[in-house]
Amino acid sequence: MALIFGLSEKDTETLHTAALLHDITKEKTPGEQITLCRVYQIEYTETYLSTPALFHAKTGAEYALEQFKGTVTKEAAELIRTHTTGCVNMTLMQKLLLLADGIEKTRKHDSLVSLRSYFYENPGNKDLICHLNDTVIRYFDLTVRFLLESGQVIDNETISARNDLIIKRGK
């Protein structure tokens, strides 16, 4: 993806570091996640308590910074922090990591396979950034639909990130 979007060597290295470490705390229990939040003074909402899988992005960012000092930059940590929910004013690299995680080849759900095909197909007359934004919006839509159908809580950052992209697309 970094090659498709012509990232610099430095940005590619940052993205690669974040990609390697984005799930570094994913296997920790909810109790361990809350402990890490206390250690790193990370605020969390009731949404996180209802959906503990969300914790790993925030805790992973801080854990990676601490464990890999000198290798993990603040920018890489921010990529890790937003790779699950997205955020308003997402950078190119934030979109790439979020999407790469969501459509990577081990994801076998039909909707993600279809989204992966959509992303890698020729975007036609759209420029690459518009195509990326449209794909990320579609990814958010799939995520929200899944969460609604399974009766799960939807994080406000995801809704805000999706809405931000749609509003900007209209301008």
Side-chain angles (χ1 to χ4, degrees), residues 7-133:
L7 294 185
S8 69
E9 187 175 328
K10 177 184 173 280
D11 285 347
T12 299
E13 184 177 319
T14 299
L15 185 60
H16 183 72
T17 298
L20 287 173
L21 297 173
H22 75 282
D23 282 343
I24 195 166
T25 61
K26 188 171 187 172
E27 298 303 318
K28 299 212 178 279
T29 66
E32 291 170 322
Q33 295 287 2
I34 290 170
T35 297
L36 287 173
C37 286
R38 288 184 185 126
V39 167
Y40 297 123
Q41 300 176 355
I42 298 169
E43 292 183 24
Y44 55 89
T45 64
E46 288 294 321
T47 300
Y48 281 71
L49 295 172
S50 298
T51 313
L54 292 174
F55 276 114
H56 82 280
K58 287 185 177 192
T59 60
E62 296 302 322
Y63 187 83
L65 272 172
E66 178 186 73
Q67 295 297 311
F68 299 96
K69 286 183 174 117
T71 301
V72 175
T73 62
K74 288 188 186 286
E75 186 175 19
E78 184 62 14
L79 296 176
I80 294 168
R81 189 190 74 72
T82 60
H83 87 272
T84 303
T85 59
C87 63
V88 172
N89 294 319
M90 290 178 75
T91 66
L92 172 61
M93 291 196 300
Q94 285 173 315
K95 293 172 194 173
L96 292 177
L97 183 59
L98 177 132
L99 190 60
D101 186 41
I103 66 170
E104 52 104 0
K105 291 183 181 180
T106 64
R107 309 281 186 193
K108 301 299 183 192
H109 192 277
D110 289 345
S111 61
L112 295 176
V113 170
S114 177
L115 187 63
R116 184 170 50 244
S117 294
Y118 173 81
F119 175 72
Y120 285 110
E121 286 175 3
N122 183 341
N125 292 331
K126 285 192 276 187
D127 76 8
L128 284 175
I129 298 298
C130 286
H131 184 64
L132 173 64
N133 289 342

